[in-house]
């Protein structure tokens, strides 16, 4: 009788809408380069919006392609609003090294950007994920090239 030792884990996903900023390609000394960005997620009353900031590593293949295509627009000052799914968020404590808050302790929320459902550039829809095959939000044709018109 054979038993399989399947890896088990718990998923923690956060979904929302927010503006992307600081799009960058991180090239570590060891390991493969990866895309990263910050997201100013909207929350609260639509008449008095508040923001929660996330610093994310882009993990999803399609999300990485889309973020890379948005870099130029973000750098040019366009407002890039996305519907997103972030996984495995955690707090990262740090000490400010410069500025008005030098020496003070700060907290950054980190995570992995897994999925982008849609992108709006300056209010205009430029990408929309294809209809989902399942309830998890996976694209119906992950091998296809949805969003060829993104950014």
């Amino acid at each position: 009788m054979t038993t399989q030792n399947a890896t088990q884990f718990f998923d923690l996903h956060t979904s929302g809408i927010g503006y992307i900023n600081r799009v960058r390609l991180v090239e570590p000394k060891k390991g493969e380069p990866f895309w990263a960005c910050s997201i100013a997620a909207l929350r609260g009353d639509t008449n008095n919006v508040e923001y929660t900031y996330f610093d994310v590593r882009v993990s999803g293949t399609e999300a990485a392609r889309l973020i890379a295509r948005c870099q130029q627009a973000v750098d040019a000052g366009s407002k890039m609003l996305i519907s997103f799914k972030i996984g495995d968020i955690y707090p990262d404590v740090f000490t400010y090294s410069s500025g008005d808050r030098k020496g003070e302790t700060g907290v950054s929320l980190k995570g992995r950007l897994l999925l982008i459902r849609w992108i709006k550039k300056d209010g205009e829809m430029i990408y929309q994920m294809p209809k989902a095959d399942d309830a998890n939000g996976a694209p119906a044709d992950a091998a296809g090239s949805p969003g060829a018109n993104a950014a």
Side-chain angles (χ1 to χ4, degrees):
M1 181 173 176
T2 327
T3 50
Q4 294 180 353
N5 292 332
T7 303
Q8 296 183 1
F9 52 92
F10 297 101
D11 288 330
L12 174 60
H13 291 163
T14 302
S15 295
I17 296 171
Y19 293 99
I20 57 174
N21 301 291
R22 295 185 54 233
V23 175
R24 60 213 181 271
L25 181 62
V26 178
E27 299 183 50
K29 290 181 182 178
K30 295 182 181 181
E32 296 294 315
F34 61 90
W35 286 97
C37 66
S38 61
I39 299 175
L42 286 72
R43 64 180 171 84
D45 187 338
T46 57
N47 294 319
N48 190 20
V49 175
E50 295 182 60
Y51 297 93
T52 298
Y53 298 92
F54 295 94
D55 192 21
V56 297
R57 176 182 180 138
V58 184
S59 295
T61 305
E62 183 67 4
R65 187 183 73 77
L66 293 168
I67 290 295
R69 294 189 67 176
C70 289
Q71 182 180 27
Q72 187 175 0
V74 170
D75 290 348
S78 292
K79 292 192 180 283
M80 303 298 287
L81 185 67
I82 66 171
S83 172
F84 63 84
K85 182 190 289 188
I86 297 174
D88 306 324
I89 60 170
Y90 63 95
D92 183 39
V93 178
F94 65 93
T95 303
Y96 287 97
S97 59
S98 61
D100 293 341
R101 299 187 68 186
K102 184 176 180 175
E104 291 182 28
T105 300
V107 177
S108 175
L109 291 175
K110 304 266 185 169
R112 295 182 307 119
L113 179 60
L114 303 172
L115 181 77
I116 297 174
R117 290 183 183 87
W118 52 257
I119 302 172
K120 290 183 179 182
K121 178 181 178 184
D122 295 324
E124 180 184 337
M125 184 72 70
I126 62 168
Y127 168 79
Q128 193 153 18
M129 186 173 80
K131 297 289 183 206
D133 246 356
D134 60 24
N136 294 328
D141 179 15
S145 58
N149 61 344

